């Protein structure tokens, strides 16, 4: 039984296999081809925290493969409000489904779930911890848009401290031999253990406080949201947010082939004018969630072998 | 009579833990679950023959097991354990840091699932790339201020 808890549990070869499998799923994800490989299978999507893209794309992925979805989003109408432990919820839900997708506000929740589940657990984000399926769809988007997954100059921009997607993405990108630049406001820098990891692998490029310093050499610009609540002073937030805003002028200083990704939701860190530029790939990235999650579901649940 | 004198009496039966990091004797007692209401001698910041200072514990009528000694290594990795029977050292060994620690420590990350009301034991793994760093197997964070994370 294979769980999907952290991207670090997967070798580079295994990740490539998943991306290859996702590629075969694209036409099904678009609705152009039909698949029933997970017909009769049930996915439990249990989301203890709000989610839009992750939950909907998992549900779409399961439906597109002919399976069904049960679950909840928010804990108001569940036994959790009565004080049920996560362990008991997982024991119960794993009896109803062939795989469980879990989002939870506590770090390590998905790892705990593996100890009480009879079916595969897919981590859809645990607190400020891991979000491995997001990392895989980011990698899929990079490979699709830039034609390769290695030897690239990657710049991660924004809240690198609390943004959960950037930690595992940085580690995964280093694994494939890319150089990682880190651009963040003071106080929102990448945690030390991730930087140490990048340094150990020899893939640490540059850390700076301004996107302008790295844009000219960037193949992929990964933008994350800077949350207002991280700043006690609203004026300070506005100042910092302004410095990290990606607009057509900034994009024009990057190479033509550069792509811009964002895990979404975007607030105002990428201006709407950028959406029309060929570099903007974040909505394509959001779509890619479906074939990548289809690949993962078909991998962990199994089912018929013919797509 | 020699000018040298013993600060504390030798024990006939029990365990002497020597070379405890200075100031850690009470942490050692805590990690071993040994109550201070039993008979023992505690030396804090005693001068070491090797230079510097150390703590020493002489606990009567307690024989430390290998498992207990490895727990002691969590807070004082290079301590020496002497088992005393009838006034003689019958066994002497160094406390070795355990590779896995279950239940003894609580995670220093307040948002870790292991700190919630769940039917699990906390679990920490000794990091391979460091001398004495424990990583929570749930939230993957390093434990901070380990001596204060010992469950009483």
């Amino acid at each position: 039984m294979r769980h999907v808890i952290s991207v670090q549990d997967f070798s580079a070869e295994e990740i490539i296999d998943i991306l290859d499998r996702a590629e075969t799923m694209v036409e099904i994800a678009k609705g152009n081809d039909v698949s029933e490989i997970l017909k009769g299978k049930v996915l439990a999507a249990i989301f203890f925290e709000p989610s839009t893209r992750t939950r909907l794309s998992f549900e779409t992925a399961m439906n597109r493969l002919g399976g069904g979805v049960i679950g909840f989003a928010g804990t108001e109408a569940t036994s959790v409000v009565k004080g049920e432990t996560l362990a008991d919820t997982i024991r119960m839900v794993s009896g109803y489904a062939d795989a469980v997708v879990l989002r939870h506000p506590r770090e390590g929740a998905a790892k705990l779930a593996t100890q009480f589940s009879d079916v595969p657990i897919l981590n859809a984000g645990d607190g400020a911890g891991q979000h491995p399926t997001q990392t895989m769809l980011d990698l899929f988007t990079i490979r699709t848009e830039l034609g390769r997954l290695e030897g690239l100059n990657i710049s991660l921009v924004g809240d690198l401290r609390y943004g959960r997607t950037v930690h595992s993405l940085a580690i995964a990108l280093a694994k494939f031999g890319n150089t990682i630049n880190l651009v963040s406001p003071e106080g929102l820098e990448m945690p030390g253990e991730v930087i140490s990891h990048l340094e150990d692998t020899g893939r640490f490029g540059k850390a700076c406080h301004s996107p302008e310093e790295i844009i000219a050499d960037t193949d992929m610009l990964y933008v994350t949201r800077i949350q207002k609540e991280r700043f006690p002073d609203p004026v300070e937030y506005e100042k910092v947010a302004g410095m990290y805003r990606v607009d057509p002028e900034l994009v024009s200083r990057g190479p033509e082939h550069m792509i811009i990704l964002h895990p979404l939701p975007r607030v105002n860190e990428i201006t709407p004018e950028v959406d029309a530029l060929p570099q903007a790939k974040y909505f394509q990235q959001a779509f890619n969630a479906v074939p990548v999650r289809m690949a993962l579901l078909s991998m962990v649940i199994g089912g018929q072998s013919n797509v | 009579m020699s000018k040298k004198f013993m600060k504390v009496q030798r024990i006939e039966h029990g365990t002497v833990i020597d070379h405890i990091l200075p100031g850690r004797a009470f942490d050692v007692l805590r990690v071993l679950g040994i109550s201070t209401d039993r008979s023992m001698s505690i030396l804090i910041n005693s001068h070491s023959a090797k230079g510097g200072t150390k703590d020493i514990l002489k606990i009567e009528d307690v024989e430390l097991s290998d498992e207990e000694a490895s727990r002691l290594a969590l807070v004082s990795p290079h301590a020496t354990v002497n088992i005393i029977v009838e006034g003689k050292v019958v066994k002497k060994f160094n406390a070795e840091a355990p590779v896995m620690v279950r239940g003894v420590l609580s995670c220093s990350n307040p948002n870790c699932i292991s700190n919630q009301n769940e039917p699990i034991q906390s679990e920490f793994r000794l990091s391979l790339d460091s001398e004495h760093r424990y990583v929570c197997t749930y939230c993957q964070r390093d434990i901070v201020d380990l001596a204060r994370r010992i469950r009483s």
Side-chain angles (χ1 to χ4, degrees), chain B residues 68-133:
Chain B
E68 286 170 319
S70 71
R71 276 163 57 185
L72 137 71
L74 288 174
V75 289
S76 189
H78 303 296
T80 312
V81 179
N82 300 274
I83 307 295
I84 315 288
V85 176
E86 292 175 354
K88 289 189 179 137
V89 178
V90 295
K91 192 177 174 190
K92 182 172 181 172
F93 57 98
N94 289 320
E96 295 212 12
V99 176
M100 292 294 280
V101 184
R102 293 188 181 89
V104 180
L105 302 166
S106 60
C107 185
S108 48
N109 170 14
N111 205 42
C112 176
I113 195 75
S114 69
N115 283 325
Q116 309 308 310
N117 183 31
E118 295 289 343
I120 52 162
Q121 280 194 319
S122 67
E123 190 180 275
F124 298 86
R125 190 180 59 244
L126 184 63
S127 173
L128 296 173
D129 57 10
S130 158
E131 203 173 287
H132 196 66
R133 188 168 68 93

Side-chain angles (χ1 to χ4, degrees), chain A residues 40-60:
Chain A
K41 304 288 184 184
V42 175
L43 174 69
I46 55 174
F47 281 69
F48 291 78
E49 268 194 335
S51 159
T52 309
R53 272 154 302 281
T54 306
R55 187 168 62 86
L56 293 181
S57 61
F58 262 117
E59 289 187 11
T60 303

Side-chain angles (χ1 to χ4, degrees), chain A residues 124-146:
Chain A
D126 55 346
Q130 303 288 326
H131 196 359
T133 64
Q134 176 73 44
T135 301
M136 287 186 194
L137 76 91
D138 292 342
L139 295 175
F140 182 76
T141 307
I142 296 167
R143 193 177 78 163
T144 308
E145 298 298 333
L146 291 173

Side-chain angles (χ1 to χ4, degrees), chain A residues 187-240:
Chain A
L188 295 179
E189 288 96 349
M190 187 67 94
E193 55 261 33
V194 180
I195 293 179
S196 304
H197 181 90
L198 297 180
E199 284 172 341
D200 291 348
T201 55
R203 294 297 169 187
F204 185 37
K206 187 173 180 181
C208 59
H209 294 304
S210 165
E212 289 172 13
E213 287 187 46
I214 44 78
I215 193 84
D217 293 322
T218 293
D219 298 310
M220 192 277 272
L221 189 73
Y222 195 92
V223 186
T224 62
R225 188 158 53 101
I226 297 172
Q227 294 180 43
K228 211 172 188 170
E229 55 268 32
R230 305 285 179 215
F231 293 83
D233 180 356
V235 178
E236 182 64 16
Y237 164 74
E238 288 302 334
K239 199 176 108 195
V240 168

Side-chain angles (χ1 to χ4, degrees), chain A residues 82-114:
Chain A
K82 298 175 189 165
E84 185 172 60
T85 60
L86 176 62
D88 279 2
T89 305
I90 293 295
R91 277 190 184 117
M92 176 267 295
V93 168
S94 77
Y96 297 161
D98 299 290
V100 177
V101 176
L102 170 70
R103 171 168 289 184
H104 196 275
R106 306 281 183 191
E107 286 98 60
K111 156 89 177 164
L112 175 142
T114 63

Side-chain angles (χ1 to χ4, degrees), chain A:
Chain A
M1 185 165 64
R2 185 77 198 250
H3 301 289
V4 181
I5 304 305
S6 162
V7 79
Q8 281 160 273
D9 300 337
F10 290 82
S11 68
E13 291 73 29
E14 287 174 318
I15 293 172
I16 294 293
D17 280 349
I18 292 163
L19 304 192
D20 289 345
R21 188 186 276 242
E23 230 166 61
T24 69
M25 301 278 182
V26 170
E27 290 307 310
I28 306 165
K30 287 179 178 169
N32 295 334
D33 284 343
V34 176
S35 169
E36 293 199 323
I37 57 167
L38 295 184
K39 188 178 179 185
K41 304 288 184 184
V42 175
L43 174 69
I46 55 174
F47 281 69
F48 291 78
E49 268 194 335
S51 159
T52 309
R53 272 154 302 281
T54 306
R55 187 168 62 86
L56 293 181
S57 61
F58 262 117
E59 289 187 11
T60 303
M62 193 64 185
N63 283 310
R64 292 283 196 205
L65 293 176
V69 183
I70 59 167
F72 57 81
T75 56
E76 297 79 12
T78 69
S79 298
V80 177
V81 289
K82 298 175 189 165
E84 185 172 60
T85 60
L86 176 62
D88 279 2
T89 305
I90 293 295
R91 277 190 184 117
M92 176 267 295
V93 168
S94 77
Y96 297 161
D98 299 290
V100 177
V101 176
L102 170 70
R103 171 168 289 184
H104 196 275
R106 306 281 183 191
E107 286 98 60
K111 156 89 177 164
L112 175 142
T114 63
Q115 293 169 323
F116 296 93
S117 178
D118 300 324
V119 299
I121 300 288
L122 297 108
N123 186 3
D126 55 346
Q130 303 288 326
H131 196 359
T133 64
Q134 176 73 44
T135 301
M136 287 186 194
L137 76 91
D138 292 342
L139 295 175
F140 182 76
T141 307
I142 296 167
R143 193 177 78 163
T144 308
E145 298 298 333
L146 291 173
R148 66 185 203 276
L149 204 49
E150 63 287 314
L152 298 166
N153 259 328
I154 306 285
S155 298
L156 308 178
V157 179
D159 177 357
L160 305 185
R161 183 170 176 192
Y162 299 102
R164 78 178 138 208
T165 61
V166 284
H167 304 166
S168 44
L169 179 61
I171 290 168
L173 284 166
K175 191 181 286 196
F176 284 99
N178 300 290
T179 302
I180 319 292
N181 301 308
L182 306 172
V183 189
S184 59
E186 255 175 72
L188 295 179
E189 288 96 349
M190 187 67 94
E193 55 261 33
V194 180
I195 293 179
S196 304
H197 181 90
L198 297 180
E199 284 172 341
D200 291 348
T201 55
R203 294 297 169 187
F204 185 37
K206 187 173 180 181
C208 59
H209 294 304
S210 165
E212 289 172 13
E213 287 187 46
I214 44 78
I215 193 84
D217 293 322
T218 293
D219 298 310
M220 192 277 272
L221 189 73
Y222 195 92
V223 186
T224 62
R225 188 158 53 101
I226 297 172
Q227 294 180 43
K228 211 172 188 170
E229 55 268 32
R230 305 285 179 215
F231 293 83
D233 180 356
V235 178
E236 182 64 16
Y237 164 74
E238 288 302 334
K239 199 176 108 195
V240 168
M243 275 176 63
Y244 287 80
R245 198 155 292 146
V246 176
D247 57 19
E249 201 275 319
L250 181 72
V251 177
S252 71
R253 291 199 234 163
E256 258 180 51
H257 69 266
M258 181 181 79
I259 60 168
I260 305 166
L261 303 189
H262 190 304
L264 306 178
R266 167 240 334 232
V267 182
N268 50 17
E269 54 277 12
I270 301 177
T271 63
E273 297 78 47
V274 175
D275 298 356
L277 300 177
Q279 289 91 341
K281 298 295 180 192
Y282 28 91
F283 292 112
Q284 183 60 38
Q285 179 190 6
F287 164 76
N288 288 340
V290 179
V292 169
R293 287 176 174 139
M294 287 167 79
L296 286 163
L297 289 172
S298 67
M299 181 186 83
V300 300
I301 300 176
Q304 299 164 34
S305 58
N306 56 323
V307 175

